[in-house]
Every structure is written in structure tokens, then in C-alpha cells.
Amino acid sequence: MIDLRWALQLLCAVALLAGRARADAVELSDGRILQGKVLEATADGIRMALENGTEVFVPIEFVAPNSYSSYRRAALADGDLAGRLALADYCLTEGLLAEAAALVRQVGAADPSQAPEVERFLRRIDEREADLALQRAREARVAGEHEEALELVKKVLIEHEDTPAAQGAEAELDEIVARLEEERKKAV
């Protein structure tokens, strides 16, 4: 026969875990996590009810970009193309390039008349990706990681050849090649 006390403890544990499983976790820009229920995600930030019942509003600048974008995306209405473009712009600014591209492509698929805007946006994403790769290449070269720097510069020159960063990549390539030649001479 089932012990009534054991069954009651099990039921309480399941109820407690179920409540926690439904809780949202919003990561703040300083790494802390707020647990509770997201009530609203707007262009200004996130309003949520904490586990203790307190309702708070967290401005966008205090929410980690990945956390904000996922809750904001979920809050967008299906036909809210302007909201998607605004969120894509936020994602682009925060370096969430794949998410920005996905949002822009959703706009293009929903409204073909937006094709010119979608193309301009995708161009901005491509330029940002090239800039980030060139920046990582420069950091790698300065750190003495010339092979890694070389691969990143090649990526910019091949995948992003039509961006302003490609010109910078050519100059960076000359510097990397000079450093690699110096290393090889020293090794001989």
C-alpha cells in the first residue's frame, strides 16, 4: 500500500518543479539571472513578475542581448514586420548577425515589396560580419597567432570581397605575410 505521507511529498515536489519549469529566466547584461514570468517584451525592455510576486521593468540596456532578443521575438505579432525590422536592427547592433538575418528574411518572405529594404539590411549584416572578422584577425596578429589571423583575413577577402573591410584585409594580409616570413627565417 502507498504511504500517504510519501505520496503527498511526491505531489508537492512535482508541483514545485512544475512551477519552476514554467519560470522564465532573463539574463541581465552583468550576468545575473532574473527568474519569474515575462509579462511583456517591448522595444524599451522587459516587464516581468519575479518569483516572489514583485513586478519589475528591466530597461533594454540592462538585459543581455540574447535574452532580450529571444523574448522580444516571441512577443512580436505574426504580421508585425516593422517590429521584426526594429529587432533585426537591434540584433545587428549587438552582433547577433544570424538572428538579424533570419528576422530580415522573414520580413522579405512575408512582404515581397520589402525586397529593397531586405537587400540593404542583408548588406549591412555582411559588412558587420566582415568588420568583426577583420577585427579578430588584427587581434590574432597582435597576439602572435599569425596562422589564425591569416585564415580570418582570407575569409574576409573571399566571403566579403565587396565590403569596405576587404580593403583593410588586404593591408592586414601584407602585415601577416611579413610576420610569417620573419618567423620562418628565424626558424631556419
Side-chain angles (χ1 to χ4, degrees), residues 31 57 61 73 82 110 114 116 131 153 157 162 166 176 187:
F57 178 79
E61 60 267 15
R73 187 178 57 250
Q114 293 285 332
D131 289 343
V153 165
L157 291 171
D162 295 330
I176 293 167

Side-chain angles (χ1 to χ4, degrees), residues 10-52:
L10 180 62
L11 183 61
C12 287
V14 168
L16 183 66
L17 290 174
R20 288 203 183 272
R22 285 191 304 263
D24 295 318
V26 174
E27 182 181 358
L28 301 180
S29 53
D30 65 4
R32 290 181 296 154
I33 305 290
L34 289 180
Q35 295 281 340
K37 177 72 178 147
V38 170
L39 303 172
E40 181 180 38
T42 68
D44 298 321
I46 294 178
R47 188 171 60 87
M48 66 186 302
L50 301 179
E51 289 181 334
N52 66 7

